[in-house]
Amino acid sequence: PDVASSDATNITLNMVKEGNDYILNGSKWWSSGAGDPRCKIYIVMGKSDPNNSSVYKQQSVIFVPAETPGITIHRMLSVYGFDDAPHGHGHITFNNVRVPASNMCLGEGRGFEVIQGRLGPGRIHHAMRSIGAAEKALEYFLARINDPKKTPFGKQLHEHGIMMERVARSRIEIDTARLTVLNAALVIDSKDAKAALKEIAEAKVQIPAMALEVIDRAIQAYGGAGVSQDTPLANMWAHGRTMRIVDGPDEVHLMQLAKNENKRGKAMYEKIEWQKRKTDEMAKTFGVTRRDVLQLDREHSKSRL
């Protein structure tokens, strides 16, 4: 919690090798599942080799039994007021927690490898569930605008044009988002998650934003009921909003997408310049004078000065 954790290289939980054990010191928050009594193992990522020249080989992942001495669960964190019990998201500290070295996952310094292997498929799972939430919100939306008891200004809600436009836009956006996810899944299946980094990032950014918009339209149709506990919409919106943060915030994915896309920048500049030169050459070859078709060069009168 003390660092900008959107950059995973900032992880500061310390892992020090001592004999056949690792000693862990540090804190974690948003440890999902920590509040559930069925949770018996923590998967902990920490810094085991802070002096490694590669910032991506300084971290390791180790399995820590939940009842190991030195672990303190301080509190559960709420999500827009929802406590997500019994699952929960814990704020945990590790104070001289001793863990057998044999609990290391894959090996020391392979933390990023372990985590990225989970994050790629995990991100597309988030996108898939967000589509399901949007679809459910649209169902609630349709139910509300066709409720015969709800007749503002003497009409059912579906008789008001603005509501029908929102239904149409929701349908378009959900189906478009679904195709984005299917495209990412196709690349994963035909190659692997690493090869689908671009497609996964596109889905991770696009789909939560779409879901929030669709859920918000449904909430608006329900009015006060939409923000209360009387429908699942408020809870769905709260969870949907976290999707723009978990497994990498939008900004990180957008930055990486843009950076990779811009790798074509120099080649595209050269391509456009070549096309301009080629056009000039062809015009000269065929004796064509190039001019703007809207150019007039119209002069009304000469200045008398």
Side-chain angles (χ1 to χ4, degrees):
D2 298 323
V3 298
S5 46
S6 57
D7 178 358
T9 63
N10 285 333
I11 284 174
T12 57
L13 184 138
N14 195 27
M15 293 181 177
V16 177
K17 185 78 177 293
E18 188 177 284
N20 293 322
D21 298 324
Y22 279 93
I23 309 301
L24 276 57
N25 282 284
S27 63
K28 297 284 187 181
W29 71 342
W30 295 107
S31 302
S32 297
D36 195 319
R38 296 171 298 175
C39 179
K40 303 299 182 184
I41 295 287
Y42 298 149
I43 303 173
V44 181
M45 185 170 177
K47 193 159 285 189
S48 55
D49 186 7
N51 298 317
N52 195 299
S53 59
S54 171
V55 295
Y56 298 106
K57 293 183 178 179
Q58 297 178 357
Q59 300 81 10
S60 299
V61 169
I62 197 165
F63 301 116
V64 181
E67 297 181 0
T68 304
I71 296 176
T72 302
I73 302 177
H74 294 280
R75 57 176 178 153
M76 290 294 113
L77 301 162
S78 65
V79 180
Y80 284 99
F82 296 99
D83 60 15
D84 289 344
H87 183 72
H89 311 281
H91 179 191
I92 305 174
T93 56
F94 298 78
N95 183 21
N96 291 322
V97 174
R98 184 177 292 272
V99 186
S102 58
N103 285 19
M104 185 67 70
C105 182
L106 287 188
E108 185 174 303
R110 300 179 70 180
F112 263 89
E113 181 184 349
V114 174
I115 296 304
Q116 288 299 330
R118 176 261 167 203
L119 285 177
R123 287 168 181 142
I124 197 171
H125 271 250
H126 284 317
M128 291 161 62
R129 291 197 306 277
S130 294
I131 289 174
E135 195 72 65
K136 179 61 69 176
L138 181 54
E139 291 176 4
Y140 269 84
F141 190 4
L142 291 169
R144 180 67 168 193
I145 66 175
N146 285 280
D147 185 343
K149 300 187 296 298
K150 305 299 180 181
T151 55
F153 307 104
K155 296 179 180 179
Q156 282 188 255
L157 285 169
H158 73 264
E159 296 178 277
H160 293 277
I162 190 170
M163 290 297 178
M164 296 303 282
E165 178 189 348
R166 289 172 182 172
V167 167
R169 290 190 181 280
S170 296
R171 180 74 278 155
I172 292 168
E173 290 162 11
I174 292 171
D175 288 351
T176 302
R178 184 174 281 113
L179 290 173
T180 299
V181 171
L182 288 172
N183 181 55
L186 179 64
V187 178
I188 294 173
D189 285 347
S190 60
K191 297 177 183 178
D192 55 31
K194 187 173 182 179
L197 287 177
K198 175 175 75 73
E199 290 78 10
I200 291 171
E202 289 169 350
K204 178 62 172 59
V205 172
Q206 178 194 356
I207 278 71
M210 174 280 300
L212 286 172
E213 186 67 30
V214 173
I215 295 168
D216 186 72
R217 290 172 186 146
I219 289 173
Q220 194 70 12
Y222 276 84
V227 297
S228 76
Q229 70 272 35
D230 286 0
T231 77
L233 295 171
N235 186 257
M236 287 162 61
W237 191 92
H239 279 284
R241 184 60 184 82
T242 68
M243 291 299 106
R244 294 189 55 210
I245 299 172
V246 299
D247 287 2
D250 285 2
E251 291 80 1
V252 171
H253 295 297
L254 289 168
M255 181 174 65
Q256 195 61 47
L257 276 168
K259 189 180 296 183
N260 287 332
E261 193 69 18
N262 195 51
K263 289 176 181 177
R264 303 189 302 135
K266 186 174 183 294
M268 292 305 100
Y269 171 77
E270 293 172 351
K271 175 183 177 181
I272 298 300
E273 290 301 307
W274 176 86
Q275 290 174 342
K276 290 177 181 177
R277 291 193 301 271
K278 191 65 175 177
T279 301
D280 289 338
E281 290 173 11
M282 292 179 68
K284 186 176 181 180
T285 299
F286 293 100
V288 175
T289 301
R290 295 189 63 204
R291 61 176 293 171
D292 189 331
V293 295
L294 296 179
Q295 187 171 338
L296 294 177
D297 293 331
R298 181 185 296 160
E299 188 173 350
H300 292 283
S301 62
K302 297 284 186 181
S303 173
R304 298 190 180 188
L305 295 179

